[in-house]
Amino acid sequence: MKKFLSLILACFCVFAFNAKIASADSAMTRIKDIAKVQGVRSNQLVGYGLVVGLNGTGDSNKTIETLQSVANILRQFGVTINQADLKTKNVAAVIVTATLPPFVREGDTIDTTISSMGDAKSIQGGELVQTPLQAANGEVYAVAQGAVSTGGFTAGNGSSNTRQKNFPTVGTTPNGAIVERTVEDDLGANGTLSLSLAKPDFTTAARITDVINLRFGPIARAANPGRIDISIPQYYRGNVVSFVAGIEDLPIVPDNVAKVVVSERTGTIVMGGDVSVDEVSITQGGLTISVQEDTDVDQPAPFSYGTTVVEKEADVNAEEAPASSIVLPATSNVGDIVGALNAVGATPRDIISILQAIKAAGALHAELQII
């Protein structure tokens, strides 16, 4: 099994190496996939509400917030009742969350997630009462209401006779919130916009700047490894959307840091094609020690007064496999490393230890990350 894993690892890493020396088209991607326009972002919304209509699976009378909320709602409709007289088995206090996408307008609908915050057993089949959703600034941007779909259930009438599927205390309401206020930034209003890189990198930022300037003229400047400032050409001022679409569709070859990621728990090794090593000598061998205990019985001579004695003897054997040595020349690529290590019979876990030793010796020119 270990040899099979080693073979699979070698094949994978050789493929990674071949992908590196292939044509540049194989590494091409769009600017849209590695960067985004600053200001085009979502906003998180949250609200507190009640789910009603439950079949006895709501909060108990020990949940004070539910009792207070029910009493407040009834008071708004002109019904005054003593809070101590309320029964809330069919009601659950919930937190409602949603994400407000960019450029949505008033009247658009968004999805919501409803999570029980009390001791309700299930909110399956309930109805969310009208709940305002606000942003971090305290302003209300949407209002949620609708039937709750949990995708799970709880059945039974006792702790030892209950069956549960998924999490019936968390549900969703597709298109359950109506947008009441628009969060809209006038994109490019001052004649400029900025791109934000998903992974800041000096080389990638410089390449993006060059590609944009080659297509539209000298309008882009890399302010730092994570941001590129762009001046919108005059003839695009009235059509910023087309200008951004043209930038996002430009091809680019991003640059990546050489990295080796290993998982000691599973013996998984993933290495990029830019990994290289200095000339290094590696010796790999194994020591096997086995201890076997035997039981001997000594019988006394006939007609003697001796007694039977049981003795235990330990047989210790030690075997050391012949050490295998390899020398990797300088500028070895990832295919050479794994191929040579597999040639001496190293398992994936052996390779992890060897890579750690090479990194400690300063011969591995890559970031070694252990997860």
Side-chain angles (χ1 to χ4, degrees), residues 49-365:
L50 293 176
V51 171
V52 299
L54 302 177
N55 187 21
T57 60
D59 294 334
S60 67
N61 290 343
K62 297 180 180 179
T63 309
I64 305 301
E65 61 269 23
T66 305
L67 296 173
Q68 293 178 349
S69 299
V70 172
N72 291 339
I73 287 182
L74 293 177
R75 192 176 299 112
Q76 292 178 8
F77 291 98
V79 179
T80 303
I81 188 172
N82 188 355
Q83 182 174 312
D85 296 332
L86 291 173
K87 305 296 182 182
T88 59
K89 287 186 177 181
N90 295 342
V91 184
V94 294
I95 289 294
V96 184
T97 58
T99 299
L100 186 68
F103 304 116
V104 294
R105 305 290 300 179
E106 293 90 343
D108 292 344
T109 57
I110 57 177
D111 299 339
T112 60
T113 300
I114 299 96
S115 305
S116 171
M117 61 177 299
D119 56 2
K121 296 180 178 63
S122 173
I123 58 175
Q124 177 191 3
E127 181 84 9
L128 176 67
V129 179
Q130 189 179 81
T131 304
L133 302 179
Q134 61 186 26
N137 58 4
E139 300 291 337
V140 175
Y141 287 88
V143 176
Q145 182 172 282
V148 179
S149 174
T150 60
F153 64 85
T154 298
N157 55 3
S159 58
S160 61
N161 192 25
T162 302
R163 295 295 181 268
Q164 178 176 318
K165 179 181 179 181
N166 297 335
F167 296 92
T169 54
V170 178
T172 60
T173 303
N175 298 321
I178 301 176
V179 177
E180 300 292 339
R181 178 180 297 185
T182 300
V183 180
E184 185 172 321
D185 187 11
D186 193 0
L187 191 63
N190 58 355
T192 62
L193 56 83
S194 298
L195 293 179
S196 177
L197 273 67
K199 291 184 178 180
D201 182 83
F202 284 98
T203 304
T204 303
R207 290 178 181 176
I208 293 177
T209 302
D210 294 340
V211 168
I212 295 175
N213 290 336
L214 183 63
R215 171 65 177 82
F216 297 98
I219 62 172
R221 182 184 69 88
N224 55 56
R227 193 186 85 231
I228 298 171
D229 297 329
I230 302 172
S231 297
I232 302 175
Q234 189 65 36
Y235 51 89
Y236 272 113
R237 295 292 174 89
N239 194 4
V240 179
V241 173
S242 295
F243 175 65
V244 174
I247 290 178
E248 289 183 334
D249 201 43
L250 291 176
I252 183 68
V253 181
D255 192 63
N256 296 311
V257 177
K259 180 180 289 188
V260 179
V261 181
V262 300
S263 173
E264 291 186 317
R265 296 188 299 273
T266 61
T268 303
I269 306 171
V270 178
M271 292 188 278
D274 293 330
V275 177
S276 62
V277 296
D278 292 332
E279 183 174 354
V280 62
S281 175
I282 302 173
T283 301
Q284 191 265 346
L287 178 65
T288 302
I289 300 176
S290 63
V291 178
Q292 182 177 2
E293 190 176 64
D294 296 328
T295 302
D296 294 333
V297 179
D298 292 336
Q299 295 286 354
F303 307 108
S304 67
Y305 295 100
T307 58
T308 302
V309 177
V310 178
E311 297 180 349
K312 294 184 178 181
E313 296 182 357
D315 185 12
V316 181
N317 295 320
E319 296 181 0
E320 185 173 9
S324 300
S325 298
I326 58 173
V327 177
L328 298 177
T331 68
S332 294
N333 55 62
V334 64
D336 296 334
I337 297 174
V338 177
L341 293 177
N342 278 278
V344 298
T347 65
R349 295 188 184 278
D350 293 333
I351 296 176
I352 291 176
S353 300
I354 292 172
L355 289 174
Q356 291 175 332
I358 295 176
K359 180 65 175 179
L364 178 62
H365 300 300

